[in-house]
């Protein structure tokens, strides 16, 4: 079992930055693909970014490319999401995800965090 705990959310103005952290416990993140999803009020959960277990392959939603960066430290059992040039449409609850296979299909993700709120005001 893996327990995931997100932190780092908050309220910022448009153009600002936040760094989200996902800390894992229960087992090592080594060999797990990791990712970030978000859910805005009244909308479905959507994929934001993903990273393979070695950290050398990343993928991003088109809406965040060039602004967000996902990274990981298997030594620290932690995954990060650096968010720059934030926009009001980035507002939502951000969830950390982990899976031995892929995190690109939310219905197949094994492990989820509880989420952290990000609010971007214009």
């Amino acid at each position: 079992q893996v327990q995931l705990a997100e932190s780092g959310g908050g309220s910022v103005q448009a153009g600002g930055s936040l760094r989200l952290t996902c800390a894992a416990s229960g087992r090592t993140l080594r060999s797990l693909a990791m990712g970030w999803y978000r859910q805005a009020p009244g909308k479905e959960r959507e994929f934001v970014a993903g990273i393979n277990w070695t950290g050398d392959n990343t993928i991003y939603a088109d809406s965040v490319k060039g602004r967000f960066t996902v990274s990981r430290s298997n030594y620290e059992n932690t995954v990060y999401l650096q968010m720059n040039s934030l926009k009001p449409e980035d507002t939502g609850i951000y969830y950390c995800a982990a899976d031995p296979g892929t995190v690109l299909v939310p219905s197949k993700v094994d492990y989820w965090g509880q989420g952290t709120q990000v609010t971007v005001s214009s």
Side-chain angles (χ1 to χ4, degrees):
Q1 282 288 342
V2 176
Q3 290 78 45
L4 303 174
E6 303 95 335
S7 62
S11 297
V12 296
Q13 291 192 326
S17 298
L18 284 173
R19 188 192 198 203
L20 304 184
T21 298
C22 173
S25 60
R27 61 162 282 185
T28 179
L29 290 182
R30 203 178 301 273
S31 81
L32 294 178
M34 302 294 299
W36 291 91
Y37 280 75
R38 67 187 180 191
Q39 187 165 19
K43 295 187 177 181
E44 292 188 354
R45 193 173 296 191
E46 64 172 354
F47 174 79
V48 174
I51 187 167
N52 68 339
W53 77 272
T54 57
D56 59 357
N57 191 18
T58 57
I59 185 170
Y60 298 92
D62 288 344
S63 58
V64 306
K65 278 181 183 176
R67 300 188 298 121
F68 290 13
T69 303
V70 60
S71 61
R72 66 188 295 162
S73 169
N74 289 339
Y75 176 75
E76 297 176 335
N77 240 23
T78 304
V79 178
Y80 306 96
L81 184 67
Q82 178 67 43
M83 306 186 295
N84 299 327
S85 302
L86 283 161
K87 304 176 181 180
E89 51 264 42
D90 294 318
T91 294
I93 300 174
Y94 282 69
Y95 297 92
C96 181
D99 193 89
T102 179
V103 293
L104 300 181
V105 182
S107 61
K108 296 185 176 181
V109 170
D110 280 354
Y111 307 108
W112 292 97
Q114 292 299 307
T116 184
Q117 176 71 44
V118 171
T119 303
V120 184
S121 58
S122 57

